Amino acid sequence: MPVTKAYAAQSATSPLAPWTLERRKPKPHDVEMEILYCGVCHSDLHFARNEWGMTIFPVVPGHEIVGRVTAVGDHVKKFKVGELAGVGCLVDSCRECDNCKEGLEQYCTQGAVMSYNSMERDGSGLTYGGYSKSIVTHEDFVLHVSEKLPLAAVAPLLCAGITTYSPLRHWKVGKGMKVGILGLGGLGHMGVKFAVSMGAEVTMLSHSPSKEADAKRLGAHKFVLTSDEMQAKNVAGYFDFILDTVSAPHDYNFYLGMLRTNGVMVCVGVPPAPTAVHAMSLIFYRHTLAGSLIGGIPETQEMLDYCAAHQITSDIELIRMEQINEAYERMLKGDVRYRFVIDMASL
Ligand code: NAP
Ligand code: ZN
Ligand code: ZN
């Protein structure tokens, strides 16, 4: 079994540190990649610190993976050695349930296998993510990546990109719609770029006054400082659609009040603890509160192709592997503009 260097958390309170793990030898349908860059998602931090109470240690986070194909199994047709490729949050699913058949593998009724902290379908062991030098993945879950975009800035598309693109598409965001993107972090900044490119009027809803100029630079038409009562009042009953990307506890009722009649708020951010939603927040003006999990494989490829066609990538700060613990602390303070990406050459 090929051994690969990695960074792992050994417990909820220990910092990430060097570790080694074994990747399987490529099976007939497997693609082996050298990982060149891996994005740092807030979910990685939630998992490393067991904030959702479901982590199995040691955990190797990382699900925004891009690199070059180094080997392929005998039956692989989609990829050749030397090509660029990407792996996101999903690495396997049953392929047979209604959701899988529809290309919604993230909602596989047998349980999708995630790129880390998941049991392989054959029970052979746990999955380990992209904070490592290589990964072996079934070709059905490997994505084509454009040679024309800066590769490090493509990595975050594999999670932050698809997680924001998918709900914007599902709820048909486009011209004539007033859209609020709540939280300007890794997901939020991609949400702004996509919603603007789809033709919507986009307002950044942020609790950080220092991010106003960046929000406008990213394409947002308006900026609302959510902690400013007057500014928040001005957008009461205003939005057709709000995408909530906030990772920390916050009051959904407050933001539901910003929706117009029939407005929809979609949660993608996952605060560690539940929040109470008052029925009145939904009943008045027939509001909908919904959720959305990443996106399926066909839609992830569609999103990557859309980004190549529209020259959309993530705004990143490249870090070395050993800076990961410091990066987590900065992410908690909202001090990331707007996605950390690890240069795997540093591992
Ligand atoms: P991030 O880069 O840390 O961004 C989160 C943003 O939330 C911050 O930049 C900040 O924006 C806002 N925020 C943070 N603390 C806040 C507070 N106390 N009050 C109000 N706003 C606050 O995180 P991310 O990587 O974008 O991930 C965001 C969330 O989405 C995480 O919970 C992550 O686990 C989840 N996620 C879900 C999916 C899915 O499939 N549904 C996929 C990926 C990630 P402002 O400074 O602008 O307020
Ligand atoms: Zn993620
Ligand atoms: Zn399935």
Side-chain angles (χ1 to χ4, degrees):
M1 293 275 218
V3 169
T4 182
K5 285 187 192 172
Y7 253 57
Q10 301 291 337
S11 78
T13 51
S14 57
L16 279 94
W19 195 55
T20 52
L21 64 100
E22 285 179 357
R23 297 292 190 191
R24 65 175 181 258
K25 276 208 178 105
K27 293 190 274 191
H29 282 284
D30 280 345
V31 173
E32 181 194 78
M33 276 164 63
E34 179 195 1
I35 300 174
L36 297 175
Y37 300 102
C38 184
V40 179
C41 179
H42 206 114
S43 302
D44 298 349
L45 189 160
H46 290 307
F47 263 104
R49 300 189 177 179
N50 199 15
E51 290 180 347
W52 294 330
M54 57 204 265
T55 309
I56 306 163
F57 291 98
V59 61
V60 175
H63 54 210
E64 295 182 337
I65 301 164
V66 290
R68 267 194 205 280
V69 176
T70 46
V72 292
D74 292 345
H75 294 178
V76 171
K77 296 220 167 62
K78 265 175 71 184
F79 292 91
K80 290 198 192 78
V81 170
E83 279 180 338
L84 289 179
V87 172
C89 302
L90 294 165
V91 292
D92 207 358
S93 72
C94 82
R95 331 284 212 277
E96 282 163 5
C97 72
D98 289 346
N99 290 338
C100 281
K101 281 185 189 152
E102 263 192 70
L104 297 170
E105 298 88 349
Q106 75 275 35
Y107 303 125
C108 174
T109 57
Q110 303 294 309
V113 181
M114 311 308 277
S115 30
Y116 60 83
N117 209 72
S118 254
M119 182 51 75
E120 295 278 11
R121 280 175 52 75
D122 61 6
S124 58
L126 283 179
T127 57
Y128 296 105
Y131 297 4
S132 59
K133 293 292 262 187
S134 72
I135 190 164
V136 179
T137 314
H138 192 288
E139 62 175 328
D140 291 352
F141 291 83
V142 183
L143 288 308
H144 290 286
V145 167
S146 168
E147 295 273 355
K148 292 189 188 128
L149 297 175
L151 189 61
V154 167
L157 302 178
L158 274 306
C159 176
I162 185 59
T163 302
T164 49
Y165 181 90
S166 182
L168 292 171
R169 280 287 188 232
H170 182 78
W171 276 276
K172 300 188 169 49
V173 162
K175 228 178 160 57
M177 282 175 82
K178 293 185 167 68
V179 171
I181 305 289
L182 175 54
L184 185 47
L187 266 54
H189 93 290
M190 291 311 306
V192 170
K193 290 188 188 203
F194 284 135
V196 168
S197 77
M198 291 168 189
E201 182 206 280
V202 179
T203 301
M204 185 69 233
L205 299 165
S206 172
H207 83 315
S208 305
S210 62
K211 293 182 183 172
E212 180 164 2
D214 279 350
K216 299 268 170 71
R217 181 181 54 76
L218 291 164
H221 305 99
K222 298 180 182 177
F223 181 90
V224 169
L225 184 62
T226 50
S227 54
D228 180 318
E229 214 175 309
M230 273 313 292
Q231 291 191 36
K233 248 189 198 151
N234 278 339
V235 288
Y238 185 76
F239 297 108
D240 297 290
F241 184 89
I242 294 176
L243 186 65
D244 177 353
T245 76
V246 172
S247 51
H250 57 291
D251 180 10
Y252 293 147
N253 304 287
F254 178 68
Y255 299 101
L256 285 166
M258 296 180 181
L259 292 175
R260 59 189 297 180
T261 307
N262 296 326
V264 178
M265 180 161 110
V266 176
C267 301
V268 288
V270 193
T275 312
V277 176
H278 202 299
M280 293 289 191
S281 306
L282 303 171
I283 290 169
F284 276 90
Y285 304 106
R286 200 159 57 192
H287 292 157
T288 301
L289 178 63
S292 183
L293 178 68
I294 45 173
I297 294 299
E299 196 176 40
T300 304
Q301 190 62 62
E302 176 191 308
M303 178 273 313
L304 287 166
D305 297 345
Y306 179 90
C307 287
H310 292 80
Q311 297 283 306
I312 294 175
T313 54
S314 189
D315 290 21
I316 64 157
E317 180 177 336
L318 203 59
I319 60 166
R320 296 175 58 78
M321 188 69 253
E322 64 269 24
Q323 291 174 290
I324 188 67
N325 296 301
E326 186 194 323
Y328 278 9
E329 288 311 313
R330 285 182 55 195
M331 189 153 64
L332 279 176
K333 285 189 242 151
D335 176 24
V336 42
R337 303 255 187 302
Y338 278 92
R339 196 58 141 188
F340 291 117
V341 172
I342 307 161
D343 182 354
M344 279 305 158
S346 65
L347 177 59

